Amino acid sequence: MPSSNTIALVVGLASLMAIFLQVIAARLGIATGRDLAQCCYEWYPKWTRVADWLMRNWRSSACDLAEVLGGAVD
C-alpha cells in the first residue's frame, strides 16, 4: 500500500502536468486561433498522427487522474 506521501506526490505531479499543458494549449489558442489537435494535424506528417492521437488521449487521462485522485485525497 503506498504511503500518503507517495499519493500526494503523484497528485501534485499530475496537477502540475495538467496546469502546464493547459497553459501551453491556451497560449497556442490565443496566438493561432486553433486548438492543439488542429495544429498537430497540420504540423506532423500523416504517419505520426496515430501516435499523436494516442499521446493526446494519454494526456487527457493524466488530467482525469489528477482530478480523481484529488477528490479521493480530499
Side-chain angles (χ1 to χ4, degrees):
M1 177 118 188
S3 68
S4 61
N5 290 338
T6 305
I7 293 172
L9 179 65
V10 170
V11 169
L13 289 175
S15 296
L16 285 175
M17 187 171 85
I19 291 168
F20 175 73
L21 289 171
Q22 289 175 359
V23 167
I24 296 298
R27 288 181 181 176
L28 178 68
I30 291 168
T32 64
R34 293 177 292 173
D35 61 20
L36 181 61
Q38 291 170 336
C39 289
C40 289
Y41 184 82
E42 292 176 7
W43 180 263
Y44 292 110
K46 274 188 173 181
W47 63 271
T48 62
R49 290 183 188 154
V50 172
D52 186 41
W53 176 78
L54 290 171
M55 290 302 292
R56 283 194 310 265
N57 283 332
W58 178 78
R59 290 187 296 253
S60 176
S61 298
C63 291
D64 291 342
L65 177 65
E67 292 177 13
V68 169
L69 290 178
V73 171
D74 196 26

